[in-house]
């Protein structure tokens, strides 16, 4: 599926501003961004529920921009389950097939296949009120895929579930996409859902695309400050490029220490830059363990939050607070310790302006 220069305006308000991107066949593509960034508007245009102001929507070789919603071949899973309360699970899933006047045997067969796919066959005769939230969402998924749609659209489908069920349903959605090889587009503002599920992420802000990349690439190589901060905790430091030091490394100077990076690109000596360093990228040493002259940031641990398998530290580096994540901490607190922070050069990411 491909969007070409797609725009949507509501009066003088531009909700989507000329975006172009592609959702690969058989993959799970996430539209990710804060509330109001335009991601749900994009999904509704793809579904045929909104008419674009400009641009084109293509499903493979088909231009579907002007097609009615029922002719596009989309299956949609909404934030609310939208199940008919007076119908059984099987009747809910079969309803759309029956509306299309398919033969009774085919309706029964395809309904059974869809329920088996979401592991709800044993509950086919129950009504929605007798199901948990996770079970209702499985039925909604079955109802969307029973049509064998060209594109599966998911609009924040897990937001009404508790944390445990969200994790369970993430696995189920990933399994269904992998088994059916369906083209799926998933809208969310939850970066954890995107990072754990997406084959590709389209990061949006104010109706425009900030970056398109795989989940790991976007987390480890954010295009700019907005992407770096939206996808998780990071430390941002103003710095000056000091020059190449050999082996593909470049030295950068900050107000709290000198570091090395492999991501300087074409930046020249003296350029002002902004560096992003994830808290988990730092290694924390006792101050005396790092020799003078080695690239490092030194400071005093101002705060420790012990969380069992890991600890979160705030390190006061001459007035600048750096966030550091320590896995399998041996001390419940490092408060007051003098430490040196080192980081691999490929984890010091210089951001685009």
């Amino acid at each position: 599926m491909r969007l070409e220069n797609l725009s949507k305006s509501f009066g003088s308000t531009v909700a989507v501003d000329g975006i172009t991107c592609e959702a690969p066949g058989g993959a799970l593509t996430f539209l990710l961004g804060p509330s109001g960034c335009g991601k749900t508007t994009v999904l509704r245009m793809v579904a045929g529920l909104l008419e674009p102001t400009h641009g084109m929507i293509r499903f493979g070789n088909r231009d579907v921009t002007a097609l009615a919603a029922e002719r596009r071949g989309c299956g949609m899973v909404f934030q609310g389950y939208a199940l008919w309360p007076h119908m059984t699970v099987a009747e809910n899933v079969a309803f759309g097939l029956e509306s299309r006047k398919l033969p009774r045997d085919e309706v029964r067969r395809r309904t059974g296949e869809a329920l088996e796919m979401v592991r709800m066959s044993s509950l086919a005769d129950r009504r929605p009120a007798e199901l948990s939230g996770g079970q209702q969402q499985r039925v909604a998924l079955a109802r969307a895929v029973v049509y064998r749609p060209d594109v599966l659209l998911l609009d924040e489908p897990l937001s009404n579930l508790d944390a445990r069920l969200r994790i369970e349903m993430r696995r189920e959605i990933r399994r269904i996409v992998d088994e059916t090889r369906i083209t799926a587009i998933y809208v969310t503002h939850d970066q954890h859902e995107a990072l754990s599920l997406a084959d590709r992420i389209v990061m949006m802000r104010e109706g425009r695309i900030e970056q398109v990349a795989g989940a790991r690439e976007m987390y480890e190589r954010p295009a700019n400050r907005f992407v770096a901060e939206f996808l998780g905790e990071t430390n941002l430091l103003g710095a000056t490029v000091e020059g190449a030091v050999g082996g593909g490394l470049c030295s950068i100077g900050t107000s709290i220490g000198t570091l090395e990076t492999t991501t300087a690109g074409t930046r020249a000596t003296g350029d002002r830059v902004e560096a992003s360093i994830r808290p988990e990228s730092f290694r924390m040493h006792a101050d005396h363990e790092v020799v003078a002259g080695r690239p490092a940031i030194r400071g005093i641990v101002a705060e420790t939050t012990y969380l069992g398998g890991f600890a979160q530290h705030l390190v006061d580096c001459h007035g600048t607070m750096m966030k550091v994540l320590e896995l399998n901490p041996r001390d419940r607190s490092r408060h007051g310790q003098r430490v040196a922070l080192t980081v691999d050069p490929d984890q010091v990411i210089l951001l685009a302006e």
Side-chain angles (χ1 to χ4, degrees):
M1 190 213 74
R2 181 172 174 79
L3 311 179
E4 298 179 3
N5 196 29
L6 194 67
S7 299
K8 180 62 181 179
S9 297
F10 298 95
S12 61
T13 301
V14 179
V16 177
D17 191 6
I19 68 169
T20 296
C21 63
E22 188 169 344
L28 185 52
T29 298
F30 269 67
L31 300 181
L32 179 65
S35 297
C37 72
K39 55 189 186 294
T40 296
T41 301
V42 172
L43 196 78
R44 291 175 65 82
M45 286 191 286
V46 172
L49 303 177
L50 280 177
E51 182 180 351
T53 305
H54 300 290
M56 182 181 296
I57 303 166
R58 302 185 69 88
F59 290 1
N61 294 323
R62 289 196 302 143
D63 178 358
V64 302
T65 313
L67 284 183
E70 64 272 16
R71 296 180 58 197
R72 294 196 178 196
C74 289
M76 192 156 185
V77 181
F78 296 95
Q79 185 174 346
Y81 314 123
L83 302 178
W84 297 104
H86 62 285
M87 293 183 179
T88 66
V89 165
E91 288 168 346
N92 266 279
V93 174
F95 180 77
L97 299 177
E98 292 172 342
S99 299
R100 288 166 169 77
K101 309 297 184 182
L102 268 66
R104 183 173 301 178
D105 287 347
E106 185 174 355
V107 170
R108 186 181 302 112
R109 177 177 56 80
R110 287 171 61 170
T111 299
E113 290 173 352
L115 289 175
E116 185 177 350
M117 181 181 300
V118 299
R119 300 171 180 171
M120 287 292 291
S121 299
S122 63
L123 302 179
D125 294 329
R126 292 194 183 182
R127 285 183 166 77
E130 302 174 272
L131 305 176
S132 69
Q135 290 169 336
Q136 290 185 58
Q137 195 58 284
R138 288 171 186 264
V139 177
L141 269 170
R143 186 180 55 189
V145 301
V146 75
Y147 303 125
R148 299 173 182 168
D150 293 327
V151 179
L152 175 64
L153 306 175
L154 302 110
D155 187 9
E156 302 203 46
L158 309 184
S159 59
N160 290 332
L161 304 180
D162 62 36
R164 182 185 62 81
L165 283 175
R166 280 200 300 273
I167 292 172
E168 179 183 322
M169 286 304 300
R170 286 177 200 169
R171 290 195 295 264
E172 289 301 298
I173 290 171
R174 181 73 262 180
R175 178 183 62 82
I176 289 168
V177 171
D178 288 343
E179 287 182 1
T180 62
R181 302 305 300 163
I182 196 170
T183 301
I185 303 174
Y186 190 124
V187 161
T188 187
H189 62 271
D190 187 325
Q191 67 268 32
H192 298 296
E193 283 183 17
L195 290 171
S196 64
L197 281 176
D199 295 305
R200 172 178 290 196
I201 297 174
V202 179
M203 176 68 76
M204 295 186 64
R205 176 172 61 160
E206 296 178 355
R208 297 181 179 179
I209 293 174
E210 293 289 320
Q211 186 175 1
V212 179
R216 188 184 186 101
E217 178 187 352
M218 188 173 287
Y219 183 79
E220 295 185 353
R221 295 290 185 271
N224 53 41
R225 179 175 187 152
F226 171 79
V227 177
E229 292 186 312
F230 193 87
L231 276 184
E233 294 282 343
T234 194
N235 297 284
L236 295 167
L237 283 173
T240 301
V241 176
E242 295 181 341
V245 294
L249 301 179
C250 179
S251 177
I252 61 170
T254 79
S255 61
I256 56 176
T258 298
L259 296 171
E260 292 177 346
T261 180
T262 61
T263 68
T266 59
R267 294 175 176 88
T269 300
D271 284 353
R272 291 290 299 169
V273 295
E274 187 169 45
S276 169
I277 307 170
R278 299 289 186 189
E280 66 272 17
S281 296
F282 279 121
R283 289 189 295 276
M284 191 159 57
H285 317 266
D287 185 72
H288 67 273
E289 292 177 347
V290 177
V291 299
R294 180 182 175 187
I297 296 173
R298 298 176 189 270
I300 299 173
V301 179
E303 181 182 309
T304 292
T305 303
Y306 177 75
L307 296 168
F310 62 96
Q312 296 172 328
H313 305 287
L314 279 180
V315 181
D316 186 348
C317 302
H318 308 290
T320 299
M321 291 295 184
M322 303 300 290
K323 293 169 282 191
V324 180
L325 186 70
E326 181 186 13
L327 294 177
N328 192 25
R330 309 318 300 159
D331 301 314
R332 287 186 64 87
S333 176
R334 287 177 174 261
H335 185 268
Q337 291 184 13
R338 291 186 175 277
V339 297
L341 306 177
T342 62
V343 58
D344 290 339
D346 66 348
Q347 296 295 299
V348 180
I349 310 303
L350 302 192
L351 302 175
E353 295 181 357

